[in-house]
Amino acid sequence: LWHPDIGYCQGMNFLCGTLLLIMAEEDAFWLLAAIVEDVLPGFYHPSLIGVNADTNTLHDLVAIKLPHVALSLEAVGLDRDSLCSVYVAWFMCLFNQLPSESMLRVWDLLLFEGSKVLFRTSLALLLLNEKRLADLATAVEQGMIHVHSAGTEALEALRRMPLDAIDSNLLVTTAVHGLGSVPKALLQTLRLHSTRRVLSGGNIEEVFVKQSRPLLELRGKEDDNTRKTLLASNAGAYVWSGDDAGNVCVWDSQTGCIIKRNNTPSRRRVCSMAATRAGTSEVQSGDDPDDP
């Protein structure tokens, strides 16, 4: 087995099915490995800590980038848990609810730009449906509909948002150009806060507070292109970081050890496939609007 510690996770069936429809079986395997290991580390771990942390991060990001949407969702009675139950379906299946053209364009962006594309796509869907949510909030405020009924209707609208995103150009343009900057430093801060929130059911919050110094030391040694996702397993809490060259660094919070894996085969494979699809000899990275 390539990754026996991960095994099968709900959501993988949608990924595998889609990949097998558009590429050969071996290519589909290596692309799945790259997504699980490098693009979205921690998402498909049995603990699901990665995806749960990122859905909570999205919830906080909506309040920052789309405050009017956040107020509308609050007005119809949707709390964090209700919203994250919708967001986790978007993230786990990588928006496979989108029409095929829109979904594949989002996947192209995801493989080139990394996990921030999940946040940008989610924010774009909410922004494009802002009026629908605002109308529900207004109906509640005017007493035209009970808040419980409005919340149920809003949840159904949220679930249908990807299905209704027929115009792929509008979705991608909004995600890339219609939201302004989402700085990496902001995402890193929100992810750390969200991970503490997700893990606060036990005593791990205290562990992270006590060990914040080595965590900060590790973060300080990495360049601005590094992505970080926190995850937990039976062995304890980890910090995973991966740069665009495929270099992966893992820090075990229990032992304090740093483990490095340089340029994983799956990452090299997916970069090669992406470059071939783009018609270039190597992947070129342009100016990143989300750089600080």
Side-chain angles (χ1 to χ4, degrees):
L1 295 179
W2 182 259
H3 245 313
D5 56 322
I6 293 180
Y8 173 77
C9 178
Q10 187 176 3
M12 281 186 178
N13 54 338
F14 296 105
L15 268 65
C16 294
T18 303
L19 293 175
L20 289 170
L21 286 175
I22 59 178
M23 62 183 62
E25 184 175 338
E26 183 179 357
D27 289 337
F29 170 81
W30 285 113
L31 185 50
L32 177 66
I35 292 172
V36 170
E37 293 178 357
D38 303 316
V39 181
L40 300 172
F43 262 51
Y44 301 99
H45 191 274
S47 66
L48 298 181
I49 190 65
V51 68
N52 285 328
D54 272 5
T55 53
N56 277 272
T57 297
L58 174 59
H59 183 274
D60 294 334
L61 199 57
V62 171
I64 296 171
K65 299 296 295 184
L66 303 175
H68 295 297
V69 172
L71 289 175
S72 296
L73 293 171
E74 183 179 355
V76 298
L78 295 184
D79 58 12
R80 179 184 293 267
D81 290 341
S82 299
L83 292 169
C84 285
S85 69
V86 176
Y87 300 154
V88 75
W90 293 358
F91 281 16
M92 288 291 290
C93 301
L94 303 188
F95 295 101
N96 81 309
Q97 307 95 329
L98 289 168
S100 57
E101 181 182 351
S102 300
M103 181 196 69
L104 292 176
R105 292 186 67 179
V106 169
W107 282 25
D108 279 345
L109 287 172
L110 177 67
L111 295 176
F112 272 108
E113 302 292 339
S115 59
K116 68 180 181 182
V117 172
L118 297 182
F119 298 108
R120 283 191 163 275
T121 303
S122 301
L123 292 173
L125 287 172
L126 292 169
L127 181 59
L128 293 172
N129 291 273
E130 180 179 15
K131 185 179 184 304
R132 186 191 308 185
L133 297 174
D135 289 344
L136 282 173
T138 300
V140 171
E141 292 170 359
Q142 295 178 352
M144 299 172 60
I145 185 174
H146 191 273
V147 64
H148 178 72
S149 299
T152 301
E153 188 172 340
L155 272 179
E156 182 59 28
L158 285 166
R159 295 189 180 101
R160 286 199 56 84
M161 283 181 188
L163 297 172
D164 296 336
I166 298 174
D167 190 337
S168 62
N169 287 328
L170 178 61
L171 176 64
V172 172
T173 300
T174 304
V176 175
H177 301 296
L179 299 166
S181 176
V182 183
K184 292 177 181 178
L186 173 62
L187 277 181
Q188 291 169 5
T189 300
L190 292 178
R191 275 175 158 163
L192 180 59
H193 176 73
S194 295
T195 303
R196 289 173 172 170
R197 174 188 293 275
V198 171
L199 298 177
S200 62
N203 297 320
I204 303 185
E205 169 109 19
E206 184 179 355
V207 172
F208 270 84
V209 171
K210 287 181 178 180
Q211 297 182 338
S212 59
R213 181 175 178 182
L215 173 59
L216 293 174
E217 288 176 353
L218 175 63
R219 290 176 59 189
K221 293 177 181 178
E222 296 181 317
D223 57 45
D224 292 336
N225 292 324
T226 299
R227 302 189 306 273
K228 301 177 183 67
T229 302
L230 302 180
L231 63 92
S233 71
N234 294 332
Y238 298 83
V239 176
W240 287 64
S241 62
D243 59 23
D244 291 334
N247 300 308
V248 178
C249 181
V250 184
W251 177 67
D252 187 334
S253 69
Q254 288 192 341
T255 65
C257 296
I258 296 178
I259 309 168
K260 283 192 175 181
R261 295 189 296 131
N262 293 325
N263 208 4
T264 58
S266 57
R267 182 66 181 183
R268 291 200 304 271
R269 182 70 172 238
V270 70
C271 285
S272 174
M273 291 167 60
T276 301
R277 178 166 182 167
T280 60
S281 59
E282 59 183 79
V283 176
Q284 302 289 338
S285 59
D287 294 334
D288 188 345
D290 294 335
D291 279 341

